[in-house]
Amino acid sequence: MAGYFEPLSMGKLELPNRLVMAPMTRSRADERGVPSRLTAEYYAQRAPAGLIITEATQVNELGQGYILTPGLHTDEQVEAWRVVTDAVRAADGRMFAQLVHCGRIGHPSLYADGALPVGPSPIASGEQLFTADGMLDHPTPREMTVDDIRETVDDFVTAARSAVAAGFDGVELHAANGFLLHQFLADGANTRTDAYSGSVENRIRFTAEVVAAVTDAIGPERVGVRISPGITYNGISESDTSELYVALVRTLAPTPLAYLHVLEILTRDVTRLIRAEWPGLLILCAHPDAESFPSTPEIGAEALRDGLADAVALAEMWLANPDLPARVRAEGPYNTADKATFYGGDERGYTDYPTLDAHR
């Protein structure tokens, strides 16, 4: 495990270790998308991470895809996130905000005007939204116009600037997990007939435009990008995964981004292609085989030793172990995550996991 504790330069930040807290939706914001003081405690507990990446945070109202998720598009949300970043910084942590637009993974019940969610094409996800009143089918989204696309690029920029104003060290642009940027990348969700569809070059255009606009606004050293090649989450499908992600990485490579974050889901061959093409820092959430869910420090350490990653993102391990670096150094023991408290609720399964000292 020694490789985890070598420091790492990332843009203007010095990371004290290579254990990254992956973004995890916890659904504990209020109905206005405002995070609570409990959220500040949750992230501050995990400040020993080399880097914390927040839960997916929507860039505008229509970008919301789940209940009780936070945003970064109102003054109240920005002020609440400032409380969170102040708490993390006081605990000597580093933190990026993950910015998302969920696209077709949404529902009229989430929006004040009851509008349809939007997507690259009028193709429903086939999935459902969980609500207090039961499960609701995702409707067929409204196909975005070119003006919609331009406005959404602007919303990512505004949210990125708001993140910096809220005290974040940078932002991660979410182009993974079947959300809007990924929907444009994937030919199973994107069948439009303009410059944003068809060829691989066209399908990566929207993501490339968002990355370019955000890096121009806040600096490339403050921007990371997350991708998830081959994932089928949220009804997504890709017929050309290897070609698609090699082209995307080649397009992004000239920009000195803070990092590229790869969520690997049984796609080690594609991970190797990406590693060969990406000249900068690569964070890997490693799932090389069917036995690697959830990922563990041992699996990540192997990726570090093999040179596939410069840092390792873990999710469930961070959720249950706020002092994860200390536990990795000690080779355990590790708390077991309570899946019943993953989403929504109070401090139970959120801020009440014991530290290693409590075991002694």
Side-chain angles (χ1 to χ4, degrees):
M1 299 290 185
Y4 279 125
F5 300 101
E6 298 175 6
L8 181 64
S9 295
M10 188 188 79
K12 295 181 179 179
L13 290 179
E14 291 296 320
L15 308 188
N17 62 67
R18 301 180 183 224
L19 285 161
V20 173
M21 179 177 171
M24 290 175 283
T25 293
R26 303 306 308 274
S27 295
R28 281 170 166 85
D30 68 17
E31 292 181 353
R32 301 162 298 163
V34 176
S36 71
R37 290 187 177 272
L38 197 62
T39 298
E41 180 182 353
Y42 167 73
Y43 283 118
Q45 288 176 342
R46 290 154 180 81
L51 177 70
I52 293 170
I53 308 171
T54 72
E55 59 214 279
T57 303
Q58 53 258 15
V59 301
N60 57 28
E61 183 185 11
L62 207 57
Q64 185 173 359
Y66 302 88
I67 61 172
L68 303 178
T69 54
L72 257 171
H73 56 89
T74 71
D75 291 343
E76 193 173 10
Q77 292 164 355
V78 173
E79 291 170 7
W81 276 119
R82 168 62 79 173
V83 174
V84 177
T85 62
D86 283 349
V88 170
R89 187 163 287 108
D92 197 28
R94 294 137 300 278
M95 193 175 196
F96 270 40
Q98 190 190 64
L99 301 183
V100 70
H101 190 304
C102 290
R104 70 181 186 175
I105 306 303
H107 194 275
S109 63
L110 296 171
Y111 318 127
D113 61 359
L116 283 172
V118 296
S121 302
I123 301 172
S125 72
E127 305 289 336
Q128 294 183 310
L129 169 71
F130 172 83
T131 76
D133 298 320
M135 303 300 290
L136 301 175
D137 291 340
H138 288 149
T140 299
R142 176 177 65 82
E143 181 171 307
M144 295 176 74
T145 67
V146 171
D147 284 343
D148 290 330
I149 292 170
R150 290 171 180 160
E151 289 171 7
T152 302
V153 172
D154 290 343
D155 288 339
F156 270 97
V157 169
T158 299
R161 287 178 170 146
S162 293
V164 173
F168 286 102
D169 294 298
V171 302
E172 177 176 281
L173 303 176
H174 200 348
N177 290 22
F179 298 126
L180 184 64
L181 297 184
H182 194 183
Q183 290 160 27
F184 271 81
L185 293 172
D187 53 0
N190 182 355
T191 59
R192 52 195 300 133
T193 57
D194 61 7
Y196 291 92
S197 186
S199 67
V200 166
E201 179 184 10
N202 283 356
R203 282 184 276 129
I204 66 179
R205 189 183 308 277
F206 184 26
T207 298
E209 288 177 351
V210 171
V211 173
V214 172
T215 56
D216 283 349
I218 67 171
E221 74 282 358
R222 286 178 161 172
V223 180
V225 176
R226 194 185 206 206
I227 56 176
S228 56
I231 200 169
T232 57
Y233 185 63
N234 280 326
I236 211 73
S237 63
E238 305 162 350
S239 69
D240 52 4
T241 296
S242 296
E243 179 187 2
L244 172 64
Y245 287 95
V246 167
L248 177 62
V249 171
R250 286 176 177 171
T251 298
L252 299 180
T255 303
L257 297 173
Y259 62 81
L260 181 68
H261 181 182
V262 180
L263 171 57
E264 175 188 69
I265 304 291
L266 311 181
T267 49
R268 182 52 57 94
D269 56 338
V270 181
T271 301
R272 294 189 188 281
L273 291 174
I274 291 170
R275 172 80 275 188
E277 296 288 345
W278 181 246
L281 191 154
L282 192 146
I283 300 173
L284 181 64
C285 189
H287 300 93
D289 54 49
E291 305 303 315
S292 57
F293 297 89
S295 193
T296 65
E298 291 77 13
I299 293 168
E302 182 179 1
L304 286 177
R305 288 193 299 270
D306 290 348
L308 280 177
D310 301 296
V312 168
L314 295 169
E316 192 171 305
M317 292 294 294
W318 272 111
L319 184 153
N321 299 278
D323 57 345
L324 185 60
R327 292 174 182 272
V328 171
R329 281 187 185 275
E331 299 186 6
Y334 299 105
N335 296 323
T336 300
D338 177 13
K339 296 183 185 299
T341 58
F342 277 10
Y343 306 109
D346 51 22
E347 74 280 357
R348 289 168 293 183
Y350 193 48
T351 58
D352 65 346
Y353 283 102
T355 63
L356 186 61
D357 288 342
H359 289 284
R360 293 172 173 165

